[in-house]
Amino acid sequence: MLFRFRAAQAADLGILDLGRTRRPKAITTITSIPLCEKWRGQVLKEISRKVSKIQDPSLSDFQIRDLNDEINKLMREKHMWEVQIRGQGGPNYMRGGK
């Protein structure tokens, strides 16, 4: 109970810990470049973890396919973050890509 109160209090004061919050689904609603870069970095870390996990030889074909689907979904999300960052006037992370 106290935890929920402290979380609500931190949200009201604007000192919410971004490490604990979930990535927003509506990427276009985020207008801060540093915030977009933070979420993009989190997606990159998740992609990296899953790519190293997919190389495990003990995985079945179904597990590999599921991991591949998740990686593809994260790659699309990463691209959307990059488009959002570029649209806000930030650095172009898509160089060499499309």
Side-chain angles (χ1 to χ4, degrees):
M1 192 66 152
L2 181 62
F3 176 75
R4 281 190 232 149
F5 172 74
R6 289 290 185 189
Q9 189 178 33
D12 290 341
L13 294 174
I15 54 173
L16 194 61
D17 182 19
L18 289 177
R20 292 184 179 174
T21 57
R22 301 175 99 174
R23 272 195 313 268
K25 293 289 182 191
I27 292 172
T28 56
T29 61
I30 307 299
T31 58
S32 167
I33 294 173
L35 200 55
C36 288
E37 288 177 336
K38 181 194 182 330
W39 294 123
R40 178 186 172 271
Q42 189 181 59
V43 171
L44 284 173
K45 286 178 191 173
E46 201 169 330
I47 289 171
S48 176
R49 269 188 250 121
K50 292 191 185 230
V51 166
S52 62
K53 190 176 179 182
I54 204 169
Q55 296 172 355
D56 185 7
S58 66
L59 293 177
S60 70
D61 286 344
F62 298 110
Q63 290 172 321
I64 291 173
R65 286 188 186 126
D66 288 342
L67 271 173
N68 190 47
D69 290 343
E70 292 172 18
I71 291 169
N72 288 337
K73 179 182 169 192
L74 288 169
M75 292 296 283
R76 281 192 301 273
E77 185 178 351
K78 179 181 79 83
H79 177 72
M80 290 189 302
W81 281 115
E82 290 170 350
V83 167
Q84 181 68 13
I85 290 169
R86 190 69 189 136
Q88 297 295 327
N92 185 8
Y93 292 112
M94 297 181 288
R95 275 178 276 161
K98 293 180 181 175

